[in-house]
Amino acid sequence: MKVVLIKELEGYGGFGDVISVKDGFARNYLIPRGIALPATEGNLSHVNNILSQRARKLQKEKEKAQAFAKKLSGLVLEIVRQVGEKGKLFGSVTSQDIAQALQEKGFDVDRKKVMLKNPIKDIGIYTITLRLHPEVSVDIKVDVKPSQ
């Protein structure tokens, strides 16, 4: 029996995939649990409409992210922290601190979008990547300075 998946099913496929399964598996497991629908013409067109709506939504989000990336490109954030004798910071600069500094500049960026491998523990200028969308990222500079 051919069915169209409306939820991801591990080992079989994802949303919108048409797969062939045994009749009993489809009637007793997939269809009653809302994982799949019979692969009729109406169900296929319904799933294709949903897929096209998702594609349009993702394209709009990507365009918004690209416009936001243009605003952020070339930005230099200054973060002032207390330092010890050898230039080591008391504490560190984390993705939360960078997101907060961006918010103070008027850019609303979630801290999860700040790609910081390790917290910054020294004074200096660092290049940080912001992943605004799965296909859109931008590099900004973070200048960590000592407080006076």
Side-chain angles (χ1 to χ4, degrees), residues 17-138:
D17 290 343
V18 178
I19 59 171
S20 292
V21 294
K22 293 187 178 183
D23 292 348
F25 182 55
R27 281 194 302 258
N28 298 326
Y29 183 77
L30 296 177
I31 295 171
R33 287 192 165 86
I35 298 172
L37 296 171
T40 63
E41 208 166 302
N43 287 339
L44 288 173
S45 68
H46 175 69
V47 168
N48 285 334
N49 285 339
I50 293 172
L51 286 173
S52 66
Q53 288 173 356
R54 283 185 183 177
R56 284 193 301 270
K57 182 180 176 186
L58 286 174
Q59 184 61 30
K60 285 181 185 178
E61 288 175 359
K62 182 179 176 183
E63 289 170 1
K64 279 179 64 177
Q66 287 172 335
F68 192 54
K70 282 184 182 179
K71 290 180 185 177
L72 287 173
S73 64
L75 179 69
V76 178
L77 285 179
E78 288 186 12
I79 298 179
V80 178
R81 291 284 189 260
Q82 288 184 348
V83 294
E85 295 173 8
K86 297 181 181 177
K88 290 280 188 187
L89 295 178
F90 290 134
S92 60
V93 177
T94 63
S95 59
Q96 177 67 37
D97 296 326
I98 294 170
Q100 189 173 359
L102 283 166
Q103 188 132 21
E104 290 170 2
K105 291 265 189 178
F107 300 107
D108 188 26
V109 176
D110 185 23
R111 69 178 181 89
K112 295 175 184 167
K113 295 183 179 190
V114 178
M115 300 291 116
L116 186 63
K117 292 178 184 167
N118 296 315
I120 299 171
K121 296 185 179 197
D122 293 316
I123 293 174
I125 298 175
Y126 298 89
T127 302
I128 306 297
T129 301
L130 301 176
R131 186 170 312 281
L132 304 173
H133 184 269
E135 298 175 16
V136 178
S137 61
V138 64

